[in-house]
Amino acid sequence: MAGNSFGTLFRFTTFGESHGPQIGCVVDGVPAGLRLSEADIQPDLDRRKPGTSKFVTQRRESDEVSIVSGVFEGFTTGSPVGLIIHNGDQRSKDYGQIRDQFRPGHADFTYWHKYGLRDYRGGGRSSARETAMRVAAGAIARVILRDLPPKPVIVRGALITMGGHGLDRTRWDWSQVAENPFFCPDSEAAILWAEILEKLRKDGNSAGGVIEVVADGVPVGLGQPIYGKLDSDLAAALMSINAAKGVEIGDGFEAAALNGVGNADEMEIDAAGTPQFTSNHAGGILGGLSTGQSVIARLAIKPTSSILTPRRSLNRFGETVEVVTKGRHDPCVAIRGVPVAEAMMAIVLADHLLQARADGTPLTTRPWDKKEI
Amino acid sequence: MAGNSFGTLFRFTTFGESHGPQIGCVVDGVPAGLRLSEADIQPDLDRRKPGTSKFVTQRRESDEVSIVSGVFEGFTTGSPVGLIIHNGDQRSKDYGQIRDQFRPGHADFTYWHKYGLRDYRGGGRSSARETAMRVAAGAIARVILRDLPPKPVIVRGALITMGGHGLDRTRWDWSQVAENPFFCPDSEAAILWAEILEKLRKDGNSAGGVIEVVADGVPVGLGQPIYGKLDSDLAAALMSINAAKGVEIGDGFEAAALNGVGNADEMEIDAAGTPQFTSNHAGGILGGLSTGQSVIARLAIKPTSSILTPRRSLNRFGETVEVVTKGRHDPCVAIRGVPVAEAMMAIVLADHLLQARADGTPLTTRPWDKKEI
Amino acid sequence: MAGNSFGTLFRFTTFGESHGPQIGCVVDGVPAGLRLSEADIQPDLDRRKPGTSKFVTQRRESDEVSIVSGVFEGFTTGSPVGLIIHNGDQRSKDYGQIRDQFRPGHADFTYWHKYGLRDYRGGGRSSARETAMRVAAGAIARVILRDLPPKPVIVRGALITMGGHGLDRTRWDWSQVAENPFFCPDSEAAILWAEILEKLRKDGNSAGGVIEVVADGVPVGLGQPIYGKLDSDLAAALMSINAAKGVEIGDGFEAAALNGVGNADEMEIDAAGTPQFTSNHAGGILGGLSTGQSVIARLAIKPTSSILTPRRSLNRFGETVEVVTKGRHDPCVAIRGVPVAEAMMAIVLADHLLQARADGTPLTTRPWDKKEI
Amino acid sequence: MAGNSFGTLFRFTTFGESHGPQIGCVVDGVPAGLRLSEADIQPDLDRRKPGTSKFVTQRRESDEVSIVSGVFEGFTTGSPVGLIIHNGDQRSKDYGQIRDQFRPGHADFTYWHKYGLRDYRGGGRSSARETAMRVAAGAIARVILRDLPPKPVIVRGALITMGGHGLDRTRWDWSQVAENPFFCPDSEAAILWAEILEKLRKDGNSAGGVIEVVADGVPVGLGQPIYGKLDSDLAAALMSINAAKGVEIGDGFEAAALNGVGNADEMEIDAAGTPQFTSNHAGGILGGLSTGQSVIARLAIKPTSSILTPRRSLNRFGETVEVVTKGRHDPCVAIRGVPVAEAMMAIVLADHLLQARADGTPLTTRPWDKKEI
């Protein structure tokens, strides 16, 4: 059954496999009249691109995106935006073992059971290569978030733990995120992480990590109250990323250890007369709707399953095998997960921004009610 | 826009407010020919019902459910199952402050902004009262999980932390869950939690908690690989529960601190010749599809926002106010969240079971491929 | 699988059977802040109600609707509007033959095959009784069409042929529609039709008819261009009505006999400077989008299948039987189909009005482009 | 909002404009394990291809389709099937008038109003060029209909009126459909039509037509009973085709002129003990579900709007203009509409076949109920 689309009013559908001729994406629901070109998309793809450091896969992909529809003379037309990336690096090679083995932590066994056959080349459809199209769709979502609301909504992400090692939030500096191979906002932590990951990589091992994504400038009232809640949609979006195992909003699991007094986000009026919260335990969402504060989510990514250390498994003939996954794998997939997580948050917010238009939700501060005397 | 339905092939839609005449639910997509009566639903509702201990709200609700359509002579007909619960306890009272105030941690401010008006009586639509219908729909999902697969799929839940206090997993006993007011599988922890929560409650405070839900007997291959992933749908389902702030699958956030060698779930053949995993870090899901192991999810619930301790906030006239939420509130909403979380997991699994039928996914062990010689 | 909902942004779900305790409907996606009460809905239900003349079924139903959610202090809240009608006339009777027989022209055989069992009482779910909830949902759609656009959109319907007998369009008078038992805008035709139908009824026979529905005041640009076309959605909506066999837009099947010169709707500027069409062969829709002209659709309804004349059929035991359908049946179901067809058109237009808000489609005349010199 | 997808379990999404670099399609929900290659798709595309006779547009398009994903070693994998056709004939030319004018009968005015800008080259997204991807998706639907049911379901179509001129049903011969430029099953009518259309074409005029599509071998019970009715979905599918103005099922508008006795399709048992109908006024659908008879639908197509005869209209500056549409246009778009209508019917049936699997609907004859004695 159809399961390759995401979103409601902003809806994208991806296709393509790791080693097929191309991967692609159709982004439907993009409003007309927005300025859009490949230059709005390519930079995000470049941040996710393989081969940028020794801590990401060395697969060579230019990941050059083409817009093939939906844009005319530099502006979106309201028609679906088609995006294509040609796969540059389809090495012809002997897949040998991989063809038949169920790699631990991979979708090999479950795909084989479900479908009876599988495209084993580089993981086929289950490869994280699909996430390039999420980043591309996310870049279009960012254009909507930039141009439609009264003030632009900005989505940023960072890696906040790597292999169980955290960072110092007092050193958080967004400008550092682009300066190290980890998307880490704490430059000192990044140095430490580099040492740790280098050792794991040489040992044929791998690491997990936690990603934090933050949206600033979100209008109040985005989301639907019961089943299209903003947090519910964010959870679905983030949990659909390869290797994701957990999602938190605001204080997340720590909120479960707080008491009601400590968890309450109090409100006050600021100098300009607009309502403000004095804290943000809620992560910018109450009752499924945005509060106007920063929307904050975190995503747990398991360690890369493709490792050089032999693991015991089965093959499709029912035989016991030892699996060693050679090849060009990310020692910590959480790193390249950062732009993907940003993209998914942007997609959810753009969708809800369009929903808010349908709902008639005011995108600026609602005037206070008049008191009847 | 429409946002009160959940699910794809098994799809339910709820309606009703906390203090309206009734709450209700339409469950669409229930296969024909299943034995179903109120007796299949009421026990689950009774587990969620208010007033069962001093640790849950004392609101008096019989929560008696009626099936008003979709069942004929004891069997489902394939038509939508309509479920109604009449609200028994609509106390006529002076809502006074609540009418105008934005209670911290509640949806009051966000609803007011989004809609311009709100049904303030008991939280209106944003009240956790809506979750009664989730439990009812979940009970029907359980009937599907019981009758359609070769072996019944069983979904159970437990509270595993309360106010930051955990339990001893070596004492885990499912039979204890029904024996204490916390749905706690560790009878000793339950005694300690009772003391802690009693103190918080008397202090006008409240507590959060973590719920664990487990499905046993799940066939291999449920889920869609990219955007209708089983884990993504579970995350959406669980995060849509009132007060939820985090969702984990399997090792969840702890997986992010593991390395690839430690995280790998190895496979072997058991005596009966069927594939088995030797561990379950993955929580029963790989590549978005069930592995045949237990599906395990955890859900973080924030502390009850309705507390007697005064908190600073605003009202709809833009005035600063002190909010004290009197009334009959759960000191720890996570407790009654347990049957709700079970229901949402059952709903997601029933939906994917029907999807698997559409996909032609085998619900029993797939025969091994023949080796070409 | 779920198939009891209709619509995208304005979405309603119905439940209930002909002889169950109640029928109901959940209308989701109703914007907040609209004035709504039962008084907005009941008049439309009364137009569809049985027992109003000898040409409609004599089943006694008060069809009194209750709003059970989604409205607070006289205004919609943005929450789903729950609607309930209690079935008054559930005669306990011996269903005898009907229980086992497949009535020709009915869904008996197809339901039995699909589901293996069926609620045979009065047709169960397949009864036209379900259309009462469409009328109720349509009445809410009309409130949206009345209050949201700059000018109200009005939807009206009429029966234009009965048993193959037409009317004289030069005598068309909307005010006559409420004055005869046929919803016929030509009072003279109505007199003739009465004679014809009375004879058919006495002969144990029945008649079909064609319904025309017209929406005036529709803004330009409602619809989606490819698969959510306004005409495509109207066709789905109207064809889903019981006994419908054909749908036309504008000139419909007659357009297929025209040539391109004759079919062209030319445009001009009116005195007020707004664009106008000089004809409306298109029925108010071009490229799937509304043109600003009246949207015109026609619906063919087959003759009532429940007739007193014996017809040969089978029963569920595989035996040949003679079927005579006694009871209180409409001799021409097309009559009561008129308010149902109006309701479905209103629902489609309300949905697309909300979609237009999401799209940013201007609901008033778009200013002409400036000519670059 | 998203409006470029069609279907529920078999769901396809198209993208691309008439004069863009490529058009494409993603077909999601294709079951795994079906043998599929371009050779299954190309013949249907060739039937729809421009330039095959003087009665269709002379635009030169090879319409060569490539499968870029979802197929591995000759079999579908369960992943979305990506299809691409490169636009060969993107003549660089002066669009001059067309750029600014609203061509009568076209989507120019409505697109301009809705979006504020439009891709005027060859109609952009509103061009019938999009229907090539429907034909491609339909060819995949045919593979499902061929391989999944116990017996193949065959979908065929024919033009039955051209410019108001009908055919003789007693001469109906499916084998003739491929032998004349009209897809006409009556070879004599085809000769007459050729003369008529040639004259219209020379006069700068055009013609409409009626298409009939028939599916044989459809299992009983496909469809959902209320809003996903087989006839409702067919109506939506067919009415979404460019230039469609009417849809009928079975006797269609003629049924509205029948009486109940004449319209009844009686049933009997055939020699093999299976239920049969003695007539098919219903067009193979009762209560929204297939009866096992041939599913028959007709589609009215208006005359081509692009004509050489001048028509009065406006341009986007609000000026009155005379429009003459030069270029390579079909004098009767209904002709090339035949394979498109077939494709849409195949798509609806394939979708409902998958839905039937989810529902547990038996795809073969259901055994008769046992009589209790």
Side-chain angles (χ1 to χ4, degrees), chain D residues 123 165 271 282-283 329 343 360 369:
Chain D
H165 301 271
H329 301 286
D369 288 346

Side-chain angles (χ1 to χ4, degrees), chain D residues 26-352:
Chain D
V26 191
V27 186
D28 204 355
V30 183
L34 301 175
R35 192 172 277 283
L36 179 71
S37 75
E38 283 87 351
D40 295 297
I41 305 173
Q42 197 62 52
D44 277 356
L45 283 167
D46 290 346
R47 293 172 66 224
R48 180 202 158 278
K49 199 168 63 176
T52 54
S53 84
K54 65 183 167 185
F55 300 123
V56 299
T57 173
Q58 299 307 305
R59 175 171 168 154
R60 272 159 299 170
E61 288 291 359
S62 66
D63 275 1
E64 200 177 318
V65 69
S66 299
I67 298 174
V68 299
S69 68
V71 175
F72 183 60
E73 298 181 344
F75 290 91
T76 57
T77 61
S79 295
V81 179
L83 301 169
I84 298 287
I85 294 175
H86 288 276
N87 283 335
D89 190 5
Q90 308 161 244
R91 290 196 198 173
S92 97
K93 70 171 188 184
D94 176 17
Y95 287 92
Q97 307 289 350
I98 299 301
R99 175 179 181 147
D100 300 328
Q101 291 177 345
F102 303 142
R103 293 167 297 160
H106 279 280
D108 298 345
F109 169 65
T110 52
Y111 269 59
W112 172 81
H113 176 92
K114 184 174 186 71
Y115 299 120
L117 79 171
R118 63 194 179 86
D119 178 349
Y120 48 79
R121 301 166 305 160
R125 181 71 181 148
S126 71
S127 163
R129 180 123 193 83
E130 189 268 347
T131 62
M133 297 322 308
R134 301 180 183 224
V135 170
I140 297 177
R142 287 183 203 261
V143 168
I144 293 173
L145 294 172
R146 178 192 74 196
D147 288 359
L148 282 196
K151 291 185 307 180
V153 177
I154 306 294
V155 178
R156 290 179 292 190
L159 196 66
I160 61 167
T161 81
M162 198 290 302
H165 301 271
L167 47 72
D168 182 345
R169 282 192 171 259
T170 65
R171 286 197 297 256
W172 190 293
D173 178 355
W174 280 112
S175 72
Q176 285 300 313
V177 164
E179 303 300 319
N180 60 68
F182 293 99
F183 298 107
C184 178
D186 170 359
S187 55
E188 294 184 32
I191 293 164
L192 183 66
W193 295 358
E195 288 168 26
I196 295 163
L197 190 56
E198 180 60 11
K199 185 172 180 324
L200 279 167
R201 193 175 68 86
K202 286 189 174 156
D203 290 350
N205 208 336
S206 65
V210 174
I211 296 164
E212 183 165 311
V213 274
V214 180
D216 294 312
V218 178
V220 185
L222 301 199
Q224 300 300 331
I226 306 295
Y227 295 109
K229 284 178 170 172
L230 187 55
D231 34 6
S232 173
D233 282 3
L234 278 171
L238 295 173
M239 195 69 100
S240 75
I241 296 173
N242 306 45
K245 300 307 290 185
V247 177
E248 294 185 319
I249 306 294
D251 283 1
F253 278 86
E254 286 192 11
L258 293 178
N259 61 46
V261 174
N263 186 59
D265 294 317
E266 299 189 312
M267 296 187 78
E268 60 185 20
I269 296 277
D270 72 7
T274 55
Q276 299 292 350
F277 291 86
T278 61
S279 57
N280 190 9
H281 297 287
I285 303 176
L286 283 175
L289 307 179
S290 59
T291 63
Q293 298 170 274
S294 296
V295 173
I296 301 170
R298 274 180 302 282
L299 177 63
I301 299 286
K302 70 178 183 184
T304 312
S305 297
S306 301
I307 49 178
L308 282 165
T309 308
R311 297 284 88 189
R312 202 157 40 104
S313 189
L314 303 176
N315 66 15
R316 65 188 174 101
F317 310 115
E319 299 164 338
T320 303
V321 294
E322 279 227 322
V323 177
V324 175
T325 315
K326 290 171 192 155
R328 306 152 291 164
H329 301 286
D330 292 270
C332 175
V333 281
I335 299 172
R336 293 207 293 139
V338 172
V340 180
E342 292 173 15
M344 293 309 288
M345 181 179 266
I347 284 161
V348 169
L349 288 170
D351 194 342
H352 279 287

Side-chain angles (χ1 to χ4, degrees), chain C residues 297-318:
Chain C
R298 274 179 302 284
L299 177 63
I301 300 286
K302 70 178 182 184
T304 311
S305 297
S306 301
I307 49 177
L308 282 164
T309 307
R311 296 285 90 187
R312 202 156 41 103
S313 189
L314 303 177
N315 67 15
R316 65 189 174 101
F317 310 114

Side-chain angles (χ1 to χ4, degrees), chain C residues 131 134-135 142 155-158 211-214 234 237-238 241 297-299 301 334-348:
Chain C
T131 61
R134 300 180 182 222
V135 170
R142 286 183 203 262
V155 178
R156 290 180 292 191
I211 296 165
E212 183 165 312
V213 275
V214 180
L234 278 172
L238 295 172
I241 296 174
R298 274 179 302 284
L299 177 63
I301 300 286
I335 300 172
R336 294 208 292 141
V338 172
V340 180
E342 292 173 14
M344 293 309 289
M345 182 181 265
I347 284 162
V348 169

Side-chain angles (χ1 to χ4, degrees), chain C residues 185-208:
Chain C
D186 171 358
S187 55
E188 295 184 34
I191 292 164
L192 182 66
W193 295 359
E195 287 168 29
I196 294 163
L197 190 56
E198 180 61 10
K199 185 170 179 324
L200 278 168
R201 193 176 66 85
K202 286 190 175 154
D203 290 350
N205 208 335
S206 65

